[in-house]
């Protein structure tokens, strides 16, 4: 993957984790999230069974039960503070 400031190897798994965690911030109707992220990352999350198919006219995707659980875990792991009252497994 190339970035504007030069060539850099990026860990797509870490990118996918961050995107899934951030999707949880826009949850509505219990398990729907706005799909405003990189299409490649969204496709990978779909192929992992964590979200519904991101291709289509809908402006949101559905997080699967596994996707919801993983998103909550990753949100706390990646962006939580030491003050978080929820313990991670």
């Amino acid at each position: 993957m190339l970035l504007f400031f030069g060539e850099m190897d990026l860990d797509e798994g870490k990118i996918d984790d961050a995107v899934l965690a951030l999707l949880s911030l826009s949850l509505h109707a219990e398990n729907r999230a706005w799909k405003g992220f990189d299409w490649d990352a969204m496709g990978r999350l779909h192929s992992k069974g964590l979200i519904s198919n991101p291709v289509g006219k809908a402006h949101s995707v559905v997080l699967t039960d596994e996707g919801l659980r993983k998103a909550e875990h990753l949100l706390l792991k990646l962006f939580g503070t030491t003050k978080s009252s929820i313990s991670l497994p």
Side-chain angles (χ1 to χ4, degrees), residues 32-79:
R32 297 191 75 82
W34 300 113
K35 61 177 187 182
F37 291 95
D38 175 73
W39 286 107
D40 291 335
M42 297 293 280
R44 289 189 302 270
L45 292 173
H46 176 255
S47 69
K48 294 175 185 176
L50 300 171
I51 64 171
S52 63
N53 192 345
V55 178
K57 293 182 181 182
H59 295 284
S60 61
V61 292
V62 175
L63 276 71
T64 64
D65 289 342
E66 180 185 358
L68 285 168
R69 283 190 300 276
K70 188 169 183 174
E72 181 180 0
H73 169 79
L74 288 168
L75 186 65
L76 289 172
K77 177 182 174 186
L78 297 173
F79 305 110

